[in-house]
């Protein structure tokens, strides 16, 4: 019974392609996040939605677009993939500001 | 600028010995403080948090952390290390005026040797 599930787990694709990563949480949390973890393991927040409303939109290329059809889902679409987009992308959710995050297991994106 | 520092890239501890993973922060006001652990090829897992109250907080897997306001630190500790504790540990801070956003440390790799 996975709390935060991401698909796919691995994604290998060519430069210039468009791809999506899906995330779903069954915890009833109000807030969802997308993080990027680079090869040095640094974590960078990309986006956050609270009850389907965008609340954090960090400086990321316009090629990245989040979509939240409902509060249990937050998908990430990436256009025109570049080599530098290769990283592990984590989805997470939380009940509120005072609570810890529950992370998905990550999507390892490799752009060739 | 607000920041979180984990001064050690790597900490090596013998199994059975106590361990400490350090975290200091520079944020305005009284922040909320968190520790997370990441095992190889896995997502991060929440370990513990400090919001208010007792300066010593207990978390998962026998870990605890001590909040020190004067030193702006939130060090993670465990009395007796296990080989299975070997992982990457992240400290994170949420300033009180933050819009849900966490400020993350760079992570500390903990290696427990048998």
């Amino acid at each position: 019974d996975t709390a935060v599930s991401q698909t796919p787990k691995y994604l290998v694709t060519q430069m210039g392609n468009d791809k999506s990563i899906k995330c779903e949480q069954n915890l009833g949390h109000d807030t969802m996040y997308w993080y990027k973890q680079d090869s040095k393991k640094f974590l960078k927040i990309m986006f956050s939605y609270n009850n389907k409303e965008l609340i954090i939109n960090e400086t990321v290329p316009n090629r990245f677009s989040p979509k939240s059809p409902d509060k249990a889902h937050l998908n990430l679409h990436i256009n025109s993939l570049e080599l530098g987009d290769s990283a592990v992308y984590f989805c997470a959710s939380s009940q509120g500001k005072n609570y810890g995050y529950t992370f998905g297991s990550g999507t390892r994106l490799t752009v060739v | 600028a607000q920041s979180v520092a984990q001064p050690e890239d790597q900490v090596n501890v013998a199994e059975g010995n106590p361990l400490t993973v350090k975290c200091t922060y520079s944020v305005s006001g009284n922040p909320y403080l968190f520790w997370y652990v990441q095992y190889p090829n896995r997502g991060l897992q929440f370990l513990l948090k400090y919001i208010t109250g007792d300066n010593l907080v207990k978390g998962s897997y026998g870990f605890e952390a001590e909040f020190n306001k004067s030193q702006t630190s939130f060090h993670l500790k465990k009395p007796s290390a296990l080989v299975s504790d070997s992982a990457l540990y992240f400290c994170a801070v949420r300033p009180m005026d933050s819009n849900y956003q966490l400020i993350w440390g760079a992570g500390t790799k903990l290696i427990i040797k048998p």
Side-chain angles (χ1 to χ4, degrees):
Chain A
D1 221 21
T2 306
V4 179
S5 60
Q6 293 179 231
T7 53
K9 193 171 175 64
Y10 300 96
L11 185 53
V12 181
T13 188
Q14 290 188 327
M15 282 175 57
N17 283 352
D18 302 339
K19 291 293 178 186
S20 292
I21 307 172
K22 295 186 176 182
C23 179
E24 176 181 2
Q25 55 99 359
N26 62 6
L27 298 166
H29 289 171
D30 290 333
T31 311
M32 296 185 72
Y33 311 81
W34 275 112
Y35 274 86
K36 179 181 180 180
Q37 186 175 45
D38 63 22
S39 57
K40 294 186 178 180
K41 306 296 186 185
F42 291 138
L43 284 162
K44 178 179 162 60
I45 181 74
M46 299 176 71
F47 304 102
S48 178
Y49 273 74
N50 185 52
N51 275 322
K52 300 196 297 174
E53 180 186 348
L54 182 65
I55 57 170
I56 296 174
N57 186 4
E58 286 297 295
T59 309
V60 299
N62 290 339
R63 300 180 293 103
F64 290 79
S65 55
K67 278 193 172 54
S68 182
D70 55 60
K71 78 172 193 178
H73 296 84
L74 180 60
N75 304 323
L76 183 65
H77 189 75
I78 316 169
N79 288 329
S80 304
L81 278 154
E82 300 178 358
L83 292 176
D85 298 332
S86 295
V88 180
Y89 292 83
F90 286 105
C91 178
S93 70
S94 70
Q95 184 52 32
K97 286 182 164 187
N98 292 353
Y99 295 86
Y101 292 3
T102 302
F103 280 83
S105 56
T107 295
R108 184 174 294 275
L109 171 65
T110 304
V111 183
V112 297
Chain B
Q2 302 189 104
S3 63
V4 175
Q6 292 182 242
E8 300 150 320
D9 290 337
Q10 183 168 309
V11 171
N12 298 304
V13 177
E15 188 177 26
N17 282 1
L19 70 87
T20 299
V21 182
K22 295 180 181 177
C23 173
T24 59
Y25 61 89
S26 174
V27 302
S28 55
N30 296 319
Y32 304 147
L33 303 157
F34 302 83
W35 275 102
Y36 289 82
V37 59
Q38 184 177 24
Y39 297 102
N41 300 314
R42 303 282 295 276
L44 283 77
Q45 295 178 35
F46 169 73
L47 272 181
L48 50 79
K49 67 179 178 182
Y50 174 83
I51 304 297
T52 186
D54 193 350
N55 288 346
L56 186 66
V57 293
K58 295 189 184 297
S60 306
Y61 312 121
F63 283 93
E64 57 190 26
E66 186 167 14
F67 169 61
N68 187 316
K69 187 173 181 178
S70 62
Q71 296 186 2
T72 60
S73 67
F74 189 54
H75 299 332
L76 182 69
K77 301 181 180 186
K78 187 172 182 180
S80 179
L82 300 172
V83 172
S84 57
D85 293 330
S86 299
L88 186 59
Y89 290 81
F90 289 93
C91 179
V93 172
R94 176 178 288 128
M96 283 194 75
D97 59 355
S98 166
N99 183 19
Y100 292 83
Q101 190 159 338
L102 291 178
I103 302 170
W104 292 84
T108 298
K109 186 174 183 179
L110 177 64
I111 297 177
I112 309 300
K113 298 185 176 177

PDB file of all heavy atoms in Angstrom, chain B residues 77-97:
ATOM      1  N   LYS B  77      21.535  12.473  16.767  1.00  0.00           N
ATOM      2  CA  LYS B  77      22.345  11.580  17.594  1.00  0.00           C
ATOM      3  C   LYS B  77      21.701  10.207  17.718  1.00  0.00           C
ATOM      4  O   LYS B  77      20.487  10.064  17.548  1.00  0.00           O
ATOM      5  CB  LYS B  77      22.520  12.178  19.000  1.00  0.00           C
ATOM      6  CG  LYS B  77      23.175  13.535  19.012  1.00  0.00           C
ATOM      7  CD  LYS B  77      23.359  14.079  20.412  1.00  0.00           C
ATOM      8  CE  LYS B  77      24.011  15.447  20.356  1.00  0.00           C
ATOM      9  NZ  LYS B  77      24.344  15.976  21.683  1.00  0.00           N
ATOM     10  N   LYS B  78      22.584   9.251  18.038  1.00  0.00           N
ATOM     11  CA  LYS B  78      22.100   7.912  18.367  1.00  0.00           C
ATOM     12  C   LYS B  78      23.109   7.297  19.325  1.00  0.00           C
ATOM     13  O   LYS B  78      24.323   7.376  19.073  1.00  0.00           O
ATOM     14  CB  LYS B  78      21.950   7.061  17.113  1.00  0.00           C
ATOM     15  CG  LYS B  78      21.288   5.707  17.376  1.00  0.00           C
ATOM     16  CD  LYS B  78      20.978   4.979  16.086  1.00  0.00           C
ATOM     17  CE  LYS B  78      20.273   3.650  16.379  1.00  0.00           C
ATOM     18  NZ  LYS B  78      19.951   2.906  15.158  1.00  0.00           N
ATOM     19  N   PRO B  79      22.671   6.707  20.421  1.00  0.00           N
ATOM     20  CA  PRO B  79      23.611   6.211  21.439  1.00  0.00           C
ATOM     21  C   PRO B  79      24.500   5.056  20.957  1.00  0.00           C
ATOM     22  O   PRO B  79      25.646   4.954  21.361  1.00  0.00           O
ATOM     23  CB  PRO B  79      22.696   5.743  22.568  1.00  0.00           C
ATOM     24  CG  PRO B  79      21.385   6.392  22.327  1.00  0.00           C
ATOM     25  CD  PRO B  79      21.275   6.580  20.846  1.00  0.00           C
ATOM     26  N   SER B  80      23.950   4.203  20.088  1.00  0.00           N
ATOM     27  CA  SER B  80      24.694   3.030  19.659  1.00  0.00           C
ATOM     28  C   SER B  80      24.394   2.765  18.180  1.00  0.00           C
ATOM     29  O   SER B  80      23.280   2.382  17.834  1.00  0.00           O
ATOM     30  CB  SER B  80      24.298   1.823  20.517  1.00  0.00           C
ATOM     31  OG  SER B  80      24.990   0.664  20.096  1.00  0.00           O
ATOM     32  N   ALA B  81      25.401   2.967  17.339  1.00  0.00           N
ATOM     33  CA  ALA B  81      25.191   2.886  15.889  1.00  0.00           C
ATOM     34  C   ALA B  81      25.082   1.442  15.409  1.00  0.00           C
ATOM     35  O   ALA B  81      25.747   0.530  15.941  1.00  0.00           O
ATOM     36  CB  ALA B  81      26.336   3.586  15.175  1.00  0.00           C
ATOM     37  N   LEU B  82      24.253   1.261  14.374  1.00  0.00           N
ATOM     38  CA  LEU B  82      24.116  -0.030  13.702  1.00  0.00           C
ATOM     39  C   LEU B  82      24.633   0.095  12.276  1.00  0.00           C
ATOM     40  O   LEU B  82      24.535   1.175  11.667  1.00  0.00           O
ATOM     41  CB  LEU B  82      22.642  -0.456  13.661  1.00  0.00           C
ATOM     42  CG  LEU B  82      21.923  -0.632  14.995  1.00  0.00           C
ATOM     43  CD1 LEU B  82      20.437  -0.848  14.751  1.00  0.00           C
ATOM     44  CD2 LEU B  82      22.521  -1.789  15.779  1.00  0.00           C
ATOM     45  N   VAL B  83      25.134  -1.006  11.728  1.00  0.00           N
ATOM     46  CA  VAL B  83      25.586  -0.978  10.335  1.00  0.00           C
ATOM     47  C   VAL B  83      24.448  -0.528   9.418  1.00  0.00           C
ATOM     48  O   VAL B  83      24.663   0.204   8.441  1.00  0.00           O
ATOM     49  CB  VAL B  83      26.118  -2.362   9.913  1.00  0.00           C
ATOM     50  CG1 VAL B  83      26.400  -2.397   8.424  1.00  0.00           C
ATOM     51  CG2 VAL B  83      27.381  -2.708  10.701  1.00  0.00           C
ATOM     52  N   SER B  84      23.229  -0.906   9.767  1.00  0.00           N
ATOM     53  CA  SER B  84      22.066  -0.555   8.938  1.00  0.00           C
ATOM     54  C   SER B  84      21.728   0.940   8.993  1.00  0.00           C
ATOM     55  O   SER B  84      20.868   1.400   8.222  1.00  0.00           O
ATOM     56  CB  SER B  84      20.852  -1.381   9.364  1.00  0.00           C
ATOM     57  OG  SER B  84      20.576  -1.175  10.745  1.00  0.00           O
ATOM     58  N   ASP B  85      22.377   1.688   9.871  1.00  0.00           N
ATOM     59  CA  ASP B  85      22.177   3.144   9.906  1.00  0.00           C
ATOM     60  C   ASP B  85      22.948   3.849   8.798  1.00  0.00           C
ATOM     61  O   ASP B  85      22.762   5.055   8.575  1.00  0.00           O
ATOM     62  CB  ASP B  85      22.619   3.721  11.253  1.00  0.00           C
ATOM     63  CG  ASP B  85      21.745   3.279  12.406  1.00  0.00           C
ATOM     64  OD1 ASP B  85      20.543   3.038  12.185  1.00  0.00           O
ATOM     65  OD2 ASP B  85      22.273   3.158  13.528  1.00  0.00           O
ATOM     66  N   SER B  86      23.809   3.129   8.104  1.00  0.00           N
ATOM     67  CA  SER B  86      24.598   3.724   7.029  1.00  0.00           C
ATOM     68  C   SER B  86      23.662   4.243   5.946  1.00  0.00           C
ATOM     69  O   SER B  86      22.862   3.491   5.376  1.00  0.00           O
ATOM     70  CB  SER B  86      25.549   2.685   6.436  1.00  0.00           C
ATOM     71  OG  SER B  86      26.456   2.213   7.402  1.00  0.00           O
ATOM     72  N   ALA B  87      23.744   5.531   5.678  1.00  0.00           N
ATOM     73  CA  ALA B  87      22.819   6.178   4.744  1.00  0.00           C
ATOM     74  C   ALA B  87      23.233   7.639   4.606  1.00  0.00           C
ATOM     75  O   ALA B  87      24.206   8.085   5.202  1.00  0.00           O
ATOM     76  CB  ALA B  87      21.378   6.080   5.240  1.00  0.00           C
ATOM     77  N   LEU B  88      22.430   8.381   3.840  1.00  0.00           N
ATOM     78  CA  LEU B  88      22.628   9.816   3.668  1.00  0.00           C
ATOM     79  C   LEU B  88      21.596  10.541   4.515  1.00  0.00           C
ATOM     80  O   LEU B  88      20.401  10.231   4.432  1.00  0.00           O
ATOM     81  CB  LEU B  88      22.467  10.159   2.185  1.00  0.00           C
ATOM     82  CG  LEU B  88      22.764  11.567   1.704  1.00  0.00           C
ATOM     83  CD1 LEU B  88      24.196  11.963   2.022  1.00  0.00           C
ATOM     84  CD2 LEU B  88      22.528  11.658   0.195  1.00  0.00           C
ATOM     85  N   TYR B  89      22.040  11.481   5.329  1.00  0.00           N
ATOM     86  CA  TYR B  89      21.152  12.179   6.253  1.00  0.00           C
ATOM     87  C   TYR B  89      21.061  13.654   5.888  1.00  0.00           C
ATOM     88  O   TYR B  89      22.081  14.314   5.666  1.00  0.00           O
ATOM     89  CB  TYR B  89      21.653  12.016   7.693  1.00  0.00           C
ATOM     90  CG  TYR B  89      21.477  10.602   8.187  1.00  0.00           C
ATOM     91  CD1 TYR B  89      22.396   9.615   7.844  1.00  0.00           C
ATOM     92  CD2 TYR B  89      20.377  10.242   8.961  1.00  0.00           C
ATOM     93  CE1 TYR B  89      22.223   8.299   8.258  1.00  0.00           C
ATOM     94  CE2 TYR B  89      20.197   8.937   9.387  1.00  0.00           C
ATOM     95  CZ  TYR B  89      21.118   7.970   9.034  1.00  0.00           C
ATOM     96  OH  TYR B  89      20.943   6.672   9.441  1.00  0.00           O
ATOM     97  N   PHE B  90      19.824  14.143   5.844  1.00  0.00           N
ATOM     98  CA  PHE B  90      19.572  15.530   5.489  1.00  0.00           C
ATOM     99  C   PHE B  90      18.897  16.261   6.649  1.00  0.00           C
ATOM    100  O   PHE B  90      17.914  15.770   7.212  1.00  0.00           O
ATOM    101  CB  PHE B  90      18.641  15.630   4.272  1.00  0.00           C
ATOM    102  CG  PHE B  90      19.262  15.214   2.970  1.00  0.00           C
ATOM    103  CD1 PHE B  90      19.129  13.915   2.514  1.00  0.00           C
ATOM    104  CD2 PHE B  90      19.970  16.123   2.208  1.00  0.00           C
ATOM    105  CE1 PHE B  90      19.685  13.522   1.313  1.00  0.00           C
ATOM    106  CE2 PHE B  90      20.533  15.744   1.005  1.00  0.00           C
ATOM    107  CZ  PHE B  90      20.390  14.436   0.556  1.00  0.00           C
ATOM    108  N   CYS B  91      19.407  17.456   6.921  1.00  0.00           N
ATOM    109  CA  CYS B  91      18.770  18.366   7.849  1.00  0.00           C
ATOM    110  C   CYS B  91      17.972  19.378   7.020  1.00  0.00           C
ATOM    111  O   CYS B  91      18.426  19.798   5.944  1.00  0.00           O
ATOM    112  CB  CYS B  91      19.846  19.080   8.670  1.00  0.00           C
ATOM    113  SG  CYS B  91      19.252  20.277   9.847  1.00  0.00           S
ATOM    114  N   ALA B  92      16.795  19.765   7.506  1.00  0.00           N
ATOM    115  CA  ALA B  92      15.984  20.741   6.774  1.00  0.00           C
ATOM    116  C   ALA B  92      15.329  21.686   7.773  1.00  0.00           C
ATOM    117  O   ALA B  92      14.993  21.290   8.889  1.00  0.00           O
ATOM    118  CB  ALA B  92      14.927  20.041   5.919  1.00  0.00           C
ATOM    119  N   VAL B  93      15.144  22.914   7.348  1.00  0.00           N
ATOM    120  CA  VAL B  93      14.619  23.954   8.226  1.00  0.00           C
ATOM    121  C   VAL B  93      13.503  24.694   7.508  1.00  0.00           C
ATOM    122  O   VAL B  93      13.637  25.024   6.329  1.00  0.00           O
ATOM    123  CB  VAL B  93      15.749  24.943   8.596  1.00  0.00           C
ATOM    124  CG1 VAL B  93      15.191  26.136   9.346  1.00  0.00           C
ATOM    125  CG2 VAL B  93      16.821  24.248   9.399  1.00  0.00           C
ATOM    126  N   ARG B  94      12.424  24.939   8.226  1.00  0.00           N
ATOM    127  CA  ARG B  94      11.371  25.775   7.662  1.00  0.00           C
ATOM    128  C   ARG B  94      11.273  27.039   8.499  1.00  0.00           C
ATOM    129  O   ARG B  94      10.865  26.984   9.659  1.00  0.00           O
ATOM    130  CB  ARG B  94      10.026  25.066   7.646  1.00  0.00           C
ATOM    131  CG  ARG B  94       8.896  25.978   7.155  1.00  0.00           C
ATOM    132  CD  ARG B  94       7.569  25.271   7.084  1.00  0.00           C
ATOM    133  NE  ARG B  94       7.559  24.342   5.969  1.00  0.00           N
ATOM    134  CZ  ARG B  94       7.217  23.063   6.096  1.00  0.00           C
ATOM    135  NH1 ARG B  94       6.872  22.573   7.257  1.00  0.00           N
ATOM    136  NH2 ARG B  94       7.220  22.281   5.045  1.00  0.00           N
ATOM    137  N   PRO B  95      11.621  28.192   7.944  1.00  0.00           N
ATOM    138  CA  PRO B  95      11.430  29.448   8.680  1.00  0.00           C
ATOM    139  C   PRO B  95       9.952  29.650   8.980  1.00  0.00           C
ATOM    140  O   PRO B  95       9.090  29.212   8.196  1.00  0.00           O
ATOM    141  CB  PRO B  95      11.935  30.516   7.697  1.00  0.00           C
ATOM    142  CG  PRO B  95      12.828  29.774   6.752  1.00  0.00           C
ATOM    143  CD  PRO B  95      12.250  28.392   6.631  1.00  0.00           C
ATOM    144  N   MET B  96       9.665  30.285  10.083  1.00  0.00           N
ATOM    145  CA  MET B  96       8.268  30.435  10.490  1.00  0.00           C
ATOM    146  C   MET B  96       7.431  31.186   9.463  1.00  0.00           C
ATOM    147  O   MET B  96       6.235  30.970   9.334  1.00  0.00           O
ATOM    148  CB  MET B  96       8.182  31.144  11.841  1.00  0.00           C
ATOM    149  CG  MET B  96       8.512  30.235  12.991  1.00  0.00           C
ATOM    150  SD  MET B  96       8.036  30.941  14.561  1.00  0.00           S
ATOM    151  CE  MET B  96       6.268  30.705  14.503  1.00  0.00           C
ATOM    152  N   ASP B  97       8.071  32.102   8.730  1.00  0.00           N
ATOM    153  CA  ASP B  97       7.317  32.875   7.751  1.00  0.00           C
ATOM    154  C   ASP B  97       7.339  32.235   6.360  1.00  0.00           C
ATOM    155  O   ASP B  97       6.958  32.864   5.379  1.00  0.00           O
ATOM    156  CB  ASP B  97       7.867  34.299   7.670  1.00  0.00           C
ATOM    157  CG  ASP B  97       9.338  34.315   7.274  1.00  0.00           C
ATOM    158  OD1 ASP B  97       9.946  33.231   7.147  1.00  0.00           O
ATOM    159  OD2 ASP B  97       9.893  35.409   7.103  1.00  0.00           O
TER     160      ASP B  97
END
